[in-house]
Amino acid sequence: MSRGRTTTDRATAAIVRSLAARPYRISSPVVLTAAELAARGGVLPVWADPMALADETEADRLRERRLVAGLVVAIAVVVLLWTVRSLLM
Amino acid sequence: MTDVLTAAPDVAEIGRGVLVAVLLAFVAFGAIPVVAGLAQFLLIPMHAVRNHYRETGPYLPNVAVLVPAWNEAAVLTASVDRLMALDYPPDRLRVFVVDDASTDETPAVMASLGERFPGRVVHLRREKGGEGKAHTLNHGLREILADDWMEALLIMDADVIYAPDSLRKMTRHLADPTVGAVTAYIREGSEDAHGLTRFIGFDYLAAQAASRRAQNVAGAMACLAGGAQLHSRENLEAIGGQIDTSSLAEDTVTTFRTQLAGRRVVFEPHARVLAEEPAGIDALWKQRLRWARGNVQITSMYRHLWFRKSVHPGLGGFFFGVFWFAILLLPVAMLLTSIGLVGLYLLDSDLAATVFGAAVFVPVATFVFMITMTISVDPRVGLKVWKEALLFPGVVSFAVLTGATFPMLVPWGGGDSSGWTLFVYSWLVLCVPAAFLVRKLELTRWGHRLAPLGLYLVGFGPMMCAITVDAYVKEYRGAAMTWDKTEKTGRVSV
């Protein structure tokens, strides 16, 4: 039995709407001194380069596509088992 | 009188029909967890297109890492060293270790770490300890929230090791103001993985890397991993700034509170965290019993939530409710299936065979999806534990499933096969007490070496069901909620 929408539910929905309307959180720019950069062998760390951070996220997003390959293999195995079973029975 | 006597066979027939219908309903009820499992594994591939990556941003907040520690001297140095080496702006990372009145070398280890990383590693000591993890976390939370510096808080366990890029992969999701908390992919990290730790390795793949992707897609997260949960400061303050101390599943309560307060919880599968897991069946049992009892407590605590979308669109949704209860009531489902099949066999063996034959391919398909999808989420680990994946339900169940799918392969299945058939129908429930026996076997002097063999025969899955049954019993009896800490030896390495 549904208890319907309560005051609390409406308050939560209002919070969700207000959060969605807020701007994205940003952090202050990372400042890397020449000495710190030298200590890292002159290689800019990923966290100091917003473009590198964006590339990393895009790579992770694209990596998720392998799940589709997993689905294809799963379907293929199930179909194969079903076919073998049907042929043998 | 004559009329009654002539009507008697009809009454018997009706009674038999009702009984058959009830038994069929038992079998159908028992199939719900299997179908729910299949639905969950079908959701996972959708994570390829339905994920949170497009809503992330290059957000690197000041992160306070909160580490509860009780007698963790063996693992603390390695954990803190790893944290200090994280690929994250050093001036935005501080570690707070809350020492829960440790009696080992923890204070000395922390003093040394404090000297090595001044201002970045803080030792907070509780003089009165032993109240449980949530109390320890709350001690640290009070200290950290009293200062404005922290913008995000990472709660972790003392023994876990974060991959260098993991923290910034978690913080990027907090750029989205609708996200309150992020969790990472914890995987078993023992270097010397053997039977039990390989089973745990597969279990973590299925329950964390795979299942949490499905929860991302469904828009409702069941649990932030206790050893890897990142909260925005805003979220912590919205949920009261304290961790629940009334249950054994404080991380699940935190997860639910976050979502019920209107914020999202996201799983980041590419933030990898290694954890040391129990090396023995008894230690594993105690750990999982705590989790299972916690889930029973949560079910009661949030009884107003289940299947009520008006309370929360995700947590109160139909699918989340089915997934939740499919795990919680799995032992009941197995029992009812067994009763249903054995009862049908006794009433009408042909009908039982027809029902079993028609239904058996559903668990087979679910099993195939479970293994394939789970391995595909992390092929490197998946290919190491593929044998344990196949034998997750146990050698006996695997043989039963194979024999039921391909009856012609069972040499003793033909002719008078009533013994084999009854065994197949009843093993679903018999495997649960068998799992109890395997645990008992490990505790005996002579059986200690045979227990791993018993685990492979009975299976890791049935053992988890047995632990759930134990949790029901302990909760029903109101047994004391003790915090049985898993012994850590520092076996984990990257």
Side-chain angles (χ1 to χ4, degrees):
Chain A
M1 189 179 74
S2 173
R3 62 173 194 155
R5 286 174 73 80
T6 64
T7 310
T8 315
D9 302 335
R10 277 190 285 272
T12 305
I15 291 169
V16 173
R17 279 196 301 275
S18 98
L19 287 172
R22 280 190 202 174
Y24 264 44
R25 293 186 184 112
I26 51 168
S27 43
S28 53
V30 176
V31 180
L32 204 64
T33 63
E36 285 170 330
L37 189 59
R40 294 168 185 277
V43 181
L44 198 63
V46 173
W47 46 263
D49 179 359
M51 287 307 292
L53 285 171
D55 288 346
E56 185 176 64
T57 300
E58 182 62 5
D60 286 342
R61 189 180 73 80
L62 295 177
R63 206 169 288 141
E64 289 299 287
R65 290 184 181 172
R66 69 172 173 223
L67 298 173
V68 178
L71 176 67
V72 170
V73 173
I75 292 172
V77 174
V78 169
V79 169
L80 182 71
L81 284 174
W82 180 266
T83 309
V84 171
R85 185 174 189 247
S86 303
L87 288 174
L88 291 175
M89 287 185 76
Chain B
M1 188 68 181
T2 315
D3 290 345
V4 172
L5 284 175
T6 51
D10 291 339
V11 172
E13 202 56 38
I14 289 168
R16 188 174 180 280
V18 169
L19 193 54
V20 166
V22 169
L23 293 171
L24 284 172
F26 280 9
V27 177
F29 181 84
I32 291 174
V34 180
V35 175
L38 185 59
Q40 181 182 249
F41 284 104
L42 284 170
L43 275 186
I44 294 166
M46 288 177 66
H47 200 257
V49 288
R50 195 179 154 92
N51 52 54
H52 189 253
Y53 288 115
R54 288 193 190 278
E55 283 84 43
T56 60
Y59 182 56
L60 300 164
N62 291 337
V63 177
V65 183
L66 182 54
V67 187
W70 181 67
N71 290 348
E72 303 277 10
V75 295
L76 267 177
T77 303
S79 291
V80 172
D81 277 343
R82 289 276 177 191
L83 285 172
M84 292 291 104
L86 282 178
D87 209 1
Y88 196 82
D91 58 328
R92 298 185 187 187
L93 185 69
R94 292 179 189 169
V95 177
F96 296 80
V97 176
V98 187
D99 169 6
D100 193 32
S102 296
T103 53
D104 68 348
E105 300 302 312
T106 296
V109 168
M110 283 314 302
S112 162
L113 288 167
E115 279 175 20
R116 282 176 57 206
F117 305 105
R120 295 188 62 205
V121 175
V122 179
H123 178 208
L124 302 170
R125 181 158 171 96
R126 296 184 78 209
E127 292 307 326
K128 178 176 173 278
E131 291 180 293
K133 185 180 172 183
H135 288 275
T136 312
L137 289 173
N138 283 337
H139 182 89
L141 268 173
R142 279 190 291 275
E143 296 278 341
I144 293 167
L145 283 169
D147 188 344
D148 288 340
W149 181 84
M150 182 271 285
E151 293 170 310
L153 179 92
L154 178 69
I155 298 176
M156 61 174 275
D157 291 334
D159 62 306
V160 301
I161 292 178
Y162 280 66
D165 58 1
S166 52
L167 180 56
R168 65 165 186 264
K169 288 189 172 188
M170 293 172 81
T171 59
R172 62 189 174 188
H173 294 280
L174 289 184
D176 178 355
T178 66
V179 175
V182 184
T183 192
Y185 163 33
I186 294 196
R187 69 177 174 85
E188 210 290 318
S190 304
E191 226 178 14
D192 57 339
H194 54 86
L196 183 63
T197 43
R198 280 172 182 268
F199 272 123
I200 298 172
F202 176 74
D203 183 48
Y204 269 29
L205 264 186
Q208 306 229 9
S211 180
R212 284 197 169 119
R213 275 181 169 91
Q215 291 168 37
N216 264 354
V217 173
M221 191 63 58
C223 183
L224 287 155
Q229 43 180 300
L230 180 76
H231 296 267
S232 69
R233 183 185 187 103
E234 201 179 38
N235 181 53
L236 281 172
E237 288 172 344
I239 62 172
Q242 291 283 284
I243 303 292
D244 172 69
T245 55
S246 66
S247 79
L248 285 167
E250 80 291 335
D251 38 10
T252 310
V253 176
T254 306
T255 314
F256 276 42
R257 280 184 179 171
T258 296
Q259 293 169 98
L260 290 170
R263 287 172 178 80
R264 293 169 69 185
V265 175
V266 174
F267 169 59
E268 169 50 71
H270 300 288
R272 290 167 187 239
V273 180
L274 301 180
E276 180 179 339
E277 293 303 317
I281 292 169
D282 188 55
L284 176 77
W285 193 288
K286 286 175 181 167
Q287 181 203 50
R288 297 300 175 100
L289 179 64
R290 194 174 71 231
W291 297 1
R293 286 190 66 185
N295 286 342
V296 176
Q297 292 165 359
I298 296 283
T299 307
S300 167
M301 195 184 289
Y302 288 98
R303 57 189 172 275
H304 67 284
L305 170 66
W306 310 114
F307 301 105
R308 286 176 177 174
K309 222 171 175 174
S310 62
V311 181
H312 188 274
L315 295 177
F318 176 77
F319 284 107
F320 188 81
V322 170
F323 293 150
W324 181 272
F325 284 98
I327 295 169
L328 192 79
L329 298 178
L330 186 56
V332 178
M334 289 163 75
L335 176 68
L336 291 182
T337 308
S338 256
I339 291 173
L341 286 171
V342 171
L344 283 176
Y345 179 81
L346 296 176
L347 285 175
D348 184 345
S349 61
D350 288 340
L351 178 63
T354 307
V355 169
F356 188 67
V360 76
F361 210 75
V362 179
V364 170
T366 305
F367 188 52
V368 169
F369 267 84
M370 181 182 86
I371 292 176
T372 316
M373 290 313 305
T374 299
I375 289 178
S376 77
V377 300
D378 189 348
R380 199 166 67 89
V381 176
L383 293 174
K384 273 187 197 169
V385 298
W386 68 270
K387 279 179 284 198
E388 283 68 26
L390 275 178
L391 299 178
F392 196 77
V395 172
V396 178
S397 293
F398 185 78
V400 164
L401 214 54
T402 308
T405 313
F406 303 106
M408 66 295 295
L409 296 179
V410 184
W412 57 88
D416 181 17
S417 58
S418 57
W420 164 250
T421 307
L422 275 174
F423 174 74
V424 167
Y425 293 168
S426 51
W427 177 249
L428 265 175
V429 71
L430 291 180
C431 63
V432 173
F436 274 93
L437 290 177
V438 171
R439 184 202 182 190
K440 292 286 177 204
L441 192 66
E442 196 204 39
L443 297 174
T444 62
R445 201 191 317 167
W446 56 271
H448 185 74
R449 291 185 180 184
L450 288 173
L453 178 66
L455 177 65
Y456 274 92
L457 283 174
V458 171
F460 192 89
M463 181 159 285
M464 295 302 107
C465 281
I467 291 170
T468 305
V469 172
D470 200 8
Y472 296 161
V473 174
K474 293 271 192 313
E475 280 302 298
Y476 179 74
R477 285 183 179 170
M481 293 197 289
T482 53
W483 189 269
D484 294 307
K485 181 178 171 289
T486 307
E487 191 189 341
K488 304 291 165 61
T489 57
R491 282 184 285 122
V492 177
S493 65
V494 178

